[in-house]
Amino acid sequence: MLSRHKHLAVALAVLIAAVVAAGFVYFPSDDGPTARAAANTRRFVLILAGASGQSESAAFDLEVAARTEALTSTCMRSHGSRYLPRNPRSVVDVEDASDFSSLGYAREHGFGISVFPHFAPDSTAARSYQRNLSAASRRAYDAALPGCVDSSQRTAEKEYGIPEANAEWARVDGEVQRDGRYRSALEAWRSCAAAAGHPARSRLALITALRKRYTSVMAGIQGGGRELPQDRLAALAARNPVWRKFHQSELAAAVATFPCSRATDRIYVSVFLQYLDRNG
């Protein structure tokens, strides 16, 4: 499922593409689905490029999640099991998704690195249904579910043109990276970020460095590789002075470099759209 993303022109696209890239599956080639997939391909390319607003990005993720859940329900029914589609917001966290276009987000969440995702709870009916399954029915349910989830996700991603969008974004982004206007914008970002006290080659490089630190911080909190619920992790982190120090440093870096990044993002999107339209 899509993760909660977004709009660091290069870093965002890399993160999302890594999560949503999937293989191709067949679906009927009549004009309706084909036209919708083509429209959604461009829609997602624009999201990856940071050319769409946060609300559009969230809407796309929720639509794909809802379609995946519906397909999973149909697939499970074909295996003789009942599957109640989950609320898309229990699958995708759109409330806390990284928003690199918002200074308010930077002040509250930084780059979104140290955010603990929040998901809507599964429905009471779904939990009750699974609890009341017989042992044999539960075994059949558990055996069928992973395959249904996987095939449904691949089909939904194909219907929404996601594999094609990843490929198109990568191609156009390569041209943008070689464009003199964007290269000059990156140089300006480096100078601006260094003057703000956060020297780095790019925002992506800055975030990557912070993520490495965060991984180390969280390893110390979790201890022994234990899998803890997000709410438990959040509570432990809030009491941990090392985590709090990291969190404040993340917020400071995001706020200090926000003006630098906004200027660079505008140039990236402008140049990206020129190459996208030229090649389209």
Side-chain angles (χ1 to χ4, degrees):
M1 196 55 58
L2 297 176
S3 71
R4 279 324 335 115
H5 38 112
K6 318 297 192 193
H7 289 218
L8 168 62
V10 178
L12 159 67
V14 171
L15 291 171
I16 298 176
V19 173
V20 301
F24 289 81
V25 293
Y26 175 78
F27 73 99
S29 59
D30 58 276
D31 290 341
T34 301
R36 285 195 298 272
N40 278 316
T41 292
R42 181 174 177 91
R43 183 182 173 196
F44 193 50
V45 167
L46 294 176
I47 290 171
L48 290 173
S52 301
Q54 183 72 359
S55 60
E56 169 68 356
S57 177
F60 186 91
D61 282 1
L62 291 172
E63 286 176 31
V64 176
R67 178 58 176 154
T68 301
E69 287 297 302
L71 289 167
T72 300
S73 180
T74 300
C75 177
M76 289 295 284
R77 190 161 55 247
S78 73
H79 287 276
S81 293
R82 183 186 180 201
Y83 178 87
L84 298 176
R86 301 171 66 189
N87 178 345
R89 291 178 182 271
S90 71
V91 180
V92 177
D93 174 24
V94 297
E95 301 302 325
D96 303 303
S98 298
D99 183 358
F100 299 105
S101 66
S102 168
L103 180 57
Y105 185 94
R107 288 172 173 156
E108 184 174 358
H109 299 301
F111 292 117
I113 297 170
S114 53
V115 166
F116 293 94
H118 297 88
F119 300 98
D122 287 328
S123 69
T124 302
R127 293 196 299 270
S128 176
Y129 168 74
Q130 293 182 38
R131 279 198 306 268
N132 293 324
L133 287 172
S134 68
S137 296
R138 183 71 200 205
R139 285 194 296 271
Y141 182 95
D142 290 344
L145 185 59
C148 281
V149 169
D150 182 66
S151 64
S152 297
Q153 181 171 331
R154 288 175 179 271
T155 299
E157 289 174 353
K158 178 60 180 176
E159 290 180 357
Y160 274 82
I162 289 173
E164 296 88 344
N166 281 317
E168 178 72 353
W169 172 84
R171 183 180 61 78
V172 178
D173 176 74
E175 296 188 79
V176 176
Q177 297 295 326
R178 294 186 293 271
D179 189 278
R181 291 165 294 177
Y182 183 63
R183 293 170 73 89
S184 295
L186 276 181
E187 288 296 335
W189 186 93
R190 291 169 192 143
S191 297
C192 179
H198 298 278
R201 288 191 55 79
S202 65
R203 181 170 52 189
L204 175 58
L206 177 58
I207 289 176
T208 299
L210 286 168
R211 284 189 181 280
K212 288 181 180 178
R213 286 176 52 197
Y214 186 68
T215 298
S216 177
V217 169
M218 292 307 296
I221 293 174
Q222 290 177 275
R226 294 175 297 160
E227 285 290 334
L228 298 175
Q230 288 296 308
D231 57 349
R232 174 64 175 155
L233 274 178
L236 289 173
R239 296 194 298 268
N240 186 290
V242 177
W243 184 91
R244 291 200 301 268
K245 182 178 180 180
F246 172 85
H247 183 62
Q248 290 304 314
S249 68
E250 179 194 351
L251 300 188
V255 171
T257 60
F258 183 82
C260 317
S261 299
R262 290 299 288 156
T264 306
D265 288 348
R266 283 193 291 269
I267 293 174
Y268 179 92
V269 170
S270 175
V271 176
F272 187 98
L273 291 177
Q274 289 178 31
Y275 281 110
L276 180 65
D277 292 339
R278 179 186 305 173
N279 296 323

